[in-house]
Amino acid sequence: MFPRSRYYGTFTPENLMFNANLQEFSHRVSIICALETGGKISAQEAFTQITELWQQLERSKQNLAI
């Protein structure tokens, strides 16, 4: 549904999965920022959600052993 850019790095399943996770992270951050800009959520709530997403991304990196 959402466009994803191609992966240009060294191909390994782990790198490809992390790239997909990174793209999902950036997409969700852009949505959160739009909600905060539009006044639908507070700046603190946006910060909290982005922090949680960042922690998920770090865990995925550790689990993939990159």
Side-chain angles (χ1 to χ4, degrees):
M1 181 171 185
F2 302 106
R4 295 191 181 256
S5 62
R6 293 184 55 193
Y7 178 69
Y8 291 100
T10 306
F11 178 79
T12 64
E14 293 84 9
N15 288 346
L16 189 63
M17 179 60 77
F18 183 70
N19 184 52
N21 291 343
L22 189 59
Q23 288 185 38
E24 180 69 20
F25 169 80
S26 66
H27 178 74
R28 293 181 69 186
V29 166
S30 68
I31 291 172
I32 292 168
C33 290
L35 288 171
E36 193 274 330
T37 301
K40 301 294 182 185
I41 61 174
S42 68
Q44 183 61 40
E45 179 65 24
F47 178 79
T48 301
Q49 289 182 19
I50 291 171
T51 302
E52 290 173 8
L53 289 174
W54 179 255
Q55 291 170 354
Q56 290 174 6
L57 185 65
E58 285 182 327
R59 280 192 300 272
S60 79
K61 183 178 178 185
Q62 291 172 353
N63 290 339
L64 293 169
I66 296 178

